[in-house]
Amino acid sequence: MTIASSGPREALIAAPVVAPPTTTPPARRRTRLTRNRWGYAYVAPFFLVFGCFSLFPFLYTAWVSLHETSLSNIDGGTWVGLENYRNLLQSEFFWNAARNTLTIGILATVPQLCMALGLAHLLNYKLRHRTFFRTVMLMPYATSIAAATLVFAQIFGRDYGLINAVLEGVGLERIDWEGGTWTSQLAIATIVTWRWTGYNALIYLAAMQSIPGELYEAAEMDGASRWRQFLHVTIPALRPTILFTVIVSTIGAVQLFGEPLLFSGNGTTNGGTSNQYQTLGLLMYQQGWSNFHIGQAAATAWAMFLIILVIVGAAAVVGRLRARADR
C-alpha cells in the first residue's frame, strides 16, 4: 500500500517527522535578560550623565550657532541660519586666532613629544631612585595652569624677568617677550611644554615597558647599538602610542585657553595689544562673554570642533596607511 492510496491518517503517519526548531529554554532566556538588564543598569548612569552634560550641550551649541542671540536672552534668539559661520569665515580675527593657535600648537607639541620620548627612554633604564624621578616628572602636570603661567610670566618679564637678566648679563639686549608675535607665542609654548612633557613621558614609559625584552636581546646580538635599538625597536613598537599622544596634544593645542589668558597678567581676552597671541579659545570667550554675541561664539566653538575632527581624521588615515605599508 502506497501513501497516495492510503487515507489521510495513514499519510500523516508515513510522512517524515520534521524536528521542531531549537529554542532557548524559557528559564535560560529569562536568566540572560536579567543579566543584560543588570549590565544596562550599570552603564546607564554614565550615559545619563553623558547625555545631560556632553551630548545636550553639544547639540544645543549647534542650535545656538544658527541664531543671533545674546547672553541675556539665549532662548529668544532670531534664526539666521549659517550667517554666523559666514561672518566667522570673513572675520580677520578668526584667521588671526587660527594662525596663532596653529603656531603655538606646533611650537608646543613638537618639542614636547620629542623631549618626552627621550626622557621616557632614559627612565626606562635601571636607574637608582627612578621612582623619585618618575614622580618629579608628573609634578608640572599637577601644577595649576594659573600658578605655572604666573611664574613663567615673571620669568619672561621685560624689565625684571630672569631670562632678560641672563641675556643682559651675556651682553645681549632685553626682549619684550609679550610685545612680539613670535616671542610671545614662544613663551606660551614654553609653558605648555613644561606642563605636559612629564605626563607624555610617563605614557611613553608605560608603553616602553610592554616591549618584549627578547627584541632588544636579538638586536644586541646583531650588534645594534643603544641608539639603533631605540630607532629600530623602540620607535616602531611605540608608533600607536605616539599617534595617540599626537592626537591628544593637537586637541589640547586647539583648545588652548588658560595660558594665553593669564600670560598678560591683566586677564584680558585680546591676546596682546595687537592680538599677537589670541587663540581660538580666547576669541570664542571674547565673542561670548565680552561682546555678548553668543551665536557667534557658538559658531566659533563648532569651527574648533570641526578643525579637531579634520586633524584626528587625517591622523587616523595616516596611521592606517602606515600600518598597511608595514604588513
Side-chain angles (χ1 to χ4, degrees):
M1 185 174 62
T2 63
I3 295 175
S5 61
S6 61
R9 183 174 181 181
E10 289 76 5
L12 288 174
I13 294 174
V17 178
V18 179
T22 57
T23 58
T24 305
R28 184 181 301 176
R29 188 164 50 193
R30 281 197 299 272
T31 304
R32 187 185 303 169
L33 290 175
T34 303
R35 191 186 306 130
N36 291 341
R37 281 199 296 270
W38 277 111
Y40 293 139
Y42 284 136
V43 299
F46 165 77
F47 286 102
L48 185 62
V49 173
F50 174 79
C52 292
F53 297 101
S54 295
L55 184 59
F56 173 73
F58 183 76
L59 299 177
Y60 187 70
T61 302
W63 182 85
V64 171
S65 69
L66 303 177
H67 292 74
E68 182 179 359
T69 182
S70 62
L71 185 61
S72 59
N73 188 24
I74 295 179
D75 294 330
T78 305
W79 171 268
V80 293
L82 298 177
E83 184 69 17
N84 286 326
Y85 292 93
R86 189 178 66 82
N87 294 334
L88 188 68
L89 294 177
Q90 294 177 350
S91 171
E92 60 176 320
F93 294 102
F94 170 75
W95 292 110
N96 175 67
R99 282 194 300 271
N100 294 341
T101 303
L102 175 66
T103 308
I104 297 174
I106 293 174
L107 290 175
T109 302
V110 176
Q112 172 193 144
L113 297 183
C114 291
M115 287 192 294
L117 199 57
L119 290 172
H121 184 65
L122 293 176
L123 290 176
N124 200 29
Y125 289 116
K126 294 181 179 178
L127 303 173
R128 295 181 62 184
H129 310 298
R130 56 182 177 181
T131 303
F132 169 75
F133 290 119
R134 293 173 184 176
T135 305
V136 170
M137 296 290 292
L138 201 58
M139 287 184 65
Y141 175 71
T143 307
S144 71
I145 296 176
T149 306
L150 292 177
V151 169
F152 273 92
Q154 296 297 320
I155 293 175
F156 284 103
R158 185 189 60 183
D159 299 325
Y160 304 104
L162 176 63
I163 295 180
N164 275 346
V166 173
L167 291 177
E168 195 175 37
V170 297
L172 299 177
E173 295 183 356
R174 290 178 175 268
I175 298 176
D176 186 3
W177 292 96
E178 187 194 346
T181 300
W182 281 101
T183 53
S184 60
Q185 294 178 4
L186 182 63
I188 293 172
T190 303
I191 304 171
V192 178
T193 301
W194 180 80
R195 287 197 70 240
W196 289 95
T197 297
Y199 176 83
N200 287 312
L202 292 183
I203 292 178
Y204 288 147
L205 178 62
M208 284 180 185
Q209 291 180 344
S210 65
I211 300 175
E214 292 81 5
L215 296 178
Y216 291 103
E217 293 175 0
E220 192 172 359
M221 291 177 65
D222 291 339
S225 62
R226 292 278 189 180
W227 174 247
R228 296 188 69 83
Q229 290 178 23
F230 178 73
L231 289 181
H232 300 289
V233 177
T234 306
I235 296 295
L238 290 182
R239 194 168 293 150
T241 307
I242 293 174
L243 180 63
F244 167 76
T245 54
V246 168
I247 292 175
V248 172
S249 299
T250 304
I251 293 174
V254 174
Q255 298 175 341
L256 193 62
F257 177 77
E259 290 86 350
L261 175 68
L262 299 172
F263 181 65
S264 62
N266 52 19
T268 58
T269 57
N270 294 329
T273 54
S274 56
N275 308 109
Q276 65 268 24
Y277 55 89
Q278 186 183 48
T279 59
L280 287 173
L282 276 184
L283 177 66
M284 179 187 67
Y285 187 87
Q286 185 185 47
Q287 291 170 336
W289 281 264
S290 297
N291 302 333
F292 306 111
H293 296 160
I294 297 298
Q296 195 69 61
T300 306
W302 261 87
M304 294 169 62
F305 170 72
L306 293 177
I307 291 173
I308 292 173
L309 207 61
V310 170
I311 294 173
V312 172
V317 171
V318 171
R320 179 169 297 184
L321 293 177
R322 184 73 183 180
R324 187 178 300 174
D326 291 342
R327 291 175 187 170

